[in-house]
Amino acid sequence: MLELPNCPKCHSAYTYEDGGLFICPECAHEWTLEAEAENIEGMRTIRDANGNVLNDGDTVTVIKDLKVKGSSLVIKIGTKVKIYV
């Protein structure tokens, strides 16, 4: 029998496979083996709301107001941000 990986988010051992995805029933996290291999190598991929991979120098627009943790500041909708990883 194939040994299934533990959930990378909550480390649960009760994961199951559905097609090409691994799913954790405890935290509802879904991932693929390719995504897990990328995270292990230290190469995190940053994606936008549509799932497109973002690279250094890309500009994104904030689609909802974001509260800044530990502060009373708010990043307003429509603010353009340049990505530097």
Side-chain angles (χ1 to χ4, degrees), residues 8 34-45:
E34 292 82 24
E36 186 176 353
E38 285 178 5
N39 288 336
I40 289 173
E41 293 172 6
M43 296 292 297
R44 286 188 57 197
T45 55

Side-chain angles (χ1 to χ4, degrees), residues 14-40:
Y14 302 111
T15 58
Y16 62 93
E17 187 174 10
D18 184 20
L21 289 176
F22 290 101
I23 302 171
C24 175
E26 292 184 5
C27 70
H29 181 64
E30 298 179 359
W31 73 99
T32 61
L33 284 179
E34 292 82 24
E36 186 176 353
E38 285 178 5
N39 288 336
I40 289 173

Side-chain angles (χ1 to χ4, degrees), residues 69-82:
K69 277 188 175 180
S71 174
S72 62
L73 296 175
V74 175
I75 300 174
K76 296 288 185 180
I77 191 169
T79 303
K80 292 191 179 194
V81 181
K82 198 161 211 164

Side-chain angles (χ1 to χ4, degrees), residues 59-66 75-81:
T59 302
V60 296
T61 303
V62 177
I63 59 172
K64 69 178 191 174
D65 288 347
L66 298 174
I75 300 174
K76 296 288 185 180
I77 191 169
T79 303
K80 292 191 179 194
V81 181

